[in-house]
Amino acid sequence: MLNYAVVQSQWKTHFHSLHDEKLIEAFNQETQKKGWTTARTYFLKSCISEMLERKWNLNSCVEFHQNGTVKSVSLQNPIQLVNQTVILKSHQNENN
């Protein structure tokens, strides 16, 4: 069985080393996928955590509890970063 604490730590280190564009690409690879696994949960948790560390505004794709913790993440649309703000990218414009 996988030790998800170790795996999550590895993802955290990996995401921290990425440039902004590559971090966005990692998130966008998960959009529109149908299946769900524990590994995917930890992958996305680590990805979102890195975005928050970079002080990005994630209000377009992340819903927060009143205490500021992540409540839910929308994977319906790919995202892009504009001036430290994550915005939804329409599927027709994915090549932009």
Side-chain angles (χ1 to χ4, degrees):
M1 180 171 205
L2 279 176
N3 181 338
Y4 285 107
V6 171
V7 172
Q8 187 171 1
S9 175
Q10 291 170 342
W11 282 326
K12 180 179 175 69
T13 301
H14 172 70
F15 289 138
H16 185 72
S17 72
L18 296 179
H19 292 286
D20 291 350
E21 180 180 297
K22 292 295 183 184
L23 184 59
I24 293 290
E25 285 178 19
F27 179 89
N28 284 343
Q29 288 175 356
E30 295 299 310
T31 62
Q32 299 298 310
K33 288 185 179 178
K34 304 266 188 225
W36 201 264
T37 65
T38 303
R40 187 175 185 209
T41 300
Y42 285 105
F43 176 90
L44 286 166
K45 183 177 179 180
S46 299
C47 187
I48 293 297
S49 177
E50 179 59 30
M51 291 176 182
L52 290 170
E53 286 287 321
R54 295 180 190 199
K55 308 287 189 224
W56 293 357
N57 178 335
L58 302 176
N59 291 333
S60 66
C61 64
V62 177
E63 184 179 356
F64 295 94
H65 291 284
Q66 287 183 343
N67 66 4
T69 60
V70 174
K71 181 176 182 179
S72 65
V73 177
S74 173
L75 298 171
Q76 291 181 326
N77 295 298
I79 59 172
Q80 60 188 20
L81 184 65
V82 177
N83 297 323
Q84 296 300 97
T85 299
V86 170
I87 62 172
L88 300 180
K89 189 174 177 183
S90 72
H91 290 290
Q92 297 131 342
N93 297 326
E94 283 187 31
N95 294 327
N96 292 340

